Amino acid sequence: MGLFDRIKRAFTGEDEVVHQLEAKDQESKIVFDTYDKGMEKTRQNFSQRLNALFSGFREVDEDFYEDLEEAFIGADVGFDMTMALTDAIRDEIEERHIFKPEEVKEVVIEKMVQIYEKDGTQLAQLKTNPNGPTVILFVGVNGVGKTTSVGKIAYQLKQEGHKVLMAAADTFRAGAVEQLNVWGQRLDIPVVTGPDQGDPAAVVFDAVKQANEQSYDYLLVDTAGRLQTKLNLMDELAKIKRIIERENPNGVQEVLLVLDATTGQNALIQAKQFNQATEITGLVLTKLDGTAKGGVVLSIRHELDVPVKYIGLGEKATDLQQFNPEQYMYNLVRDVLEVQKNG
Ligand code: GDP
């Protein structure tokens, strides 16, 4: 069964599907509730735009498609994704000679889900190192939530029973080392540090050595993701990677770029810039709870060949969730289908 059918059936409460998308056990209840709450603003914005479009619906004409495009752009779905979506919707409507508003609405949602589903609905797992510590570098500009994300992911890995080490290699941002230390104390996870303004590569060297010698499962490295010059960033990350490879033959498993979702399309631009400077293996999209522009996840998936691995849906450690495409889509379109069901 495709995702759209699953979502629809979750609505009508049919069989097991509703349990799969909502709460099956304690753990999936936390996941569902976190997405539910964290995506509230985005969901409201999106359903308001689409429902306003449909409440004024007369017929499927050029004005309708224009308004539809505006609704997508307004939800920060992005220009390219909007065009691809509108084309797919137009083709389907023309092919099936659809004219009733409820059916048009269903096509709109169905195409959104399908265009997304093409990229896969699997949870994006972290790559791991079978022969030693799994090393994850975190990059991103100041204020996006990088240090906080390192702490939250460390917490979750520890909860899963892994032995975790953190390295405070963002020695340039005042306070970053101290902030990671606070997380370390709170979570009872050791943090490798160096002097303020010191060489980040030296911190990384010590950290990899410790991770190897003391058989840690994960080493999470908070790096300075300054973008003053691309060359600077490239050099620094290349140096860090070289040091890690020297000590740890399998090198770095993940380079995660942390982006602030509240900056909407700017986050996409940042992602493109970083991707040119270094090879990014995954994205962490923070602060989705604070924005109505959560549609940016769709445009990022559409325009970059980099998977979203985590999304931040609040301030608590459990609010950083592995990106779950089904929960995301379900929570994005839910209220649009709701009105259809009731109305
Ligand atoms: P850094 O400069 O990138 O290391 O950013 P910080 O980790 O210091 O985070 C900046 C602020 O964003 C902090 O106040 C965090 O609590 C906040 N923050 C990070 N992630 C999230 C999130 O997913 N939701 C919300 N609401 N706030 C977040």
Side-chain angles (χ1 to χ4, degrees):
M1 197 192 306
L3 178 57
F4 178 66
D5 290 318
R6 279 162 53 74
I7 288 177
K8 243 174 70 182
R9 288 176 71 171
F11 256 91
T12 47
E14 284 175 63
D15 59 53
E16 287 294 301
V17 178
V18 66
H19 297 295
Q20 286 170 24
L21 284 165
E22 298 200 353
K24 191 166 48 188
D25 48 41
Q26 194 52 32
E27 201 178 314
S28 44
K29 186 165 165 40
I30 292 174
V31 173
F32 179 78
D33 289 347
T34 309
Y35 272 84
D36 179 35
K37 193 162 57 63
M39 285 187 64
E40 205 174 319
K41 288 187 183 147
T42 293
R43 179 165 61 237
Q44 277 171 4
N45 175 30
F46 186 67
S47 63
Q48 265 164 20
R49 283 175 194 278
L50 276 198
N51 289 328
L53 173 67
F54 281 100
S55 68
F57 179 93
R58 277 197 206 88
E59 57 181 331
V60 186
D61 53 13
E62 283 312 310
D63 284 348
F64 169 79
Y65 287 118
E66 249 175 56
D67 290 348
L68 183 63
E69 280 169 12
E70 258 173 46
F72 285 139
I73 298 273
D76 237 351
V77 165
F79 183 76
D80 289 358
M81 179 76 172
T82 294
M83 291 303 137
L85 259 175
T86 318
D87 285 348
I89 291 164
R90 189 192 286 266
D91 288 349
E92 181 89 7
I93 286 178
E94 286 176 4
E95 196 171 304
R96 287 172 43 198
H97 305 293
I98 288 170
F99 57 91
K100 284 194 199 142
E102 315 86 70
E103 290 175 8
V104 173
K105 199 184 221 178
E106 200 164 305
V107 169
V108 170
I109 301 298
E110 186 175 2
K111 287 295 151 197
M112 280 190 71
V113 174
Q114 278 176 358
I115 226 168
Y116 194 76
E117 204 174 13
K118 270 206 314 240
D119 299 331
T121 54
Q122 299 303 313
L123 283 187
Q125 303 287 352
L126 291 176
K127 278 192 230 75
T128 53
N129 177 7
N131 307 314
T134 294
V135 182
I136 306 177
L137 300 186
F138 290 79
V139 298
V141 301
N142 286 348
V144 291
K146 186 163 47 73
T147 305
T148 315
S149 296
V150 175
K152 288 174 178 171
I153 291 175
Y155 163 81
Q156 290 173 14
L157 291 168
K158 189 178 173 183
Q159 287 292 101
E160 290 167 17
H162 300 293
K163 192 174 169 188
V164 184
L165 182 65
M166 300 192 283
D170 184 354
T171 54
F172 294 97
R173 177 164 76 86
V177 174
E178 185 45 36
Q179 204 181 325
L180 204 63
N181 268 327
V182 170
W183 273 100
Q185 278 157 16
R186 206 192 299 163
L187 304 175
D188 196 19
I189 293 176
V191 182
V192 179
T193 58
D196 257 3
Q197 306 289 317
D199 184 356
V203 177
V204 173
F205 177 81
D206 290 344
V208 184
K209 207 158 163 284
Q210 187 173 335
N212 277 333
E213 285 171 3
Q214 298 175 20
S215 305
Y216 277 90
D217 300 318
Y218 284 90
L219 170 61
L220 308 188
V221 183
D222 187 14
T223 72
R226 295 150 307 138
L227 260 184
Q228 288 116 326
T229 76
K230 219 159 68 182
L231 210 59
N232 237 336
L233 178 75
M234 247 187 307
D235 285 351
E236 188 170 302
L237 286 171
K239 187 171 165 194
I240 287 179
K241 280 181 167 173
R242 259 198 324 274
I243 284 167
I244 293 171
E245 270 156 24
R246 217 162 47 205
E247 301 295 313
N248 190 14
N250 285 348
V252 173
Q253 278 64 53
E254 296 271 6
V255 180
L256 299 182
L257 172 64
V258 185
L259 296 169
D260 176 345
T262 62
T263 61
Q265 293 296 304
N266 277 336
L268 186 71
I269 294 166
Q270 248 172 48
K272 286 181 176 168
Q273 287 173 338
F274 265 93
N275 215 15
Q276 284 165 6
T278 185
E279 196 191 325
I280 303 292
T281 61
L283 302 172
V284 178
L285 207 56
T286 62
K287 310 185 199 179
L288 215 74
D289 53 308
T291 179
K293 296 174 172 182
V296 71
V297 177
L298 292 177
S299 57
I300 284 178
R301 284 269 295 219
H302 190 69
E303 289 187 41
L304 291 178
D305 204 15
V306 182
V308 176
K309 298 219 164 173
Y310 285 90
I311 61 175
L313 296 158
E315 301 260 13
K316 292 200 305 287
T318 51
D319 287 339
L320 189 76
Q321 289 277 338
Q322 233 181 340
F323 181 57
N324 183 325
E326 292 201 356
Q327 288 293 348
Y328 174 81
M329 283 315 285
Y330 179 56
N331 275 292
L332 182 65
V333 302
R334 217 174 66 192
D335 286 358
V336 182
L337 287 171
E338 189 103 72
V339 171
Q340 183 176 331
K341 194 177 73 175
N342 299 334

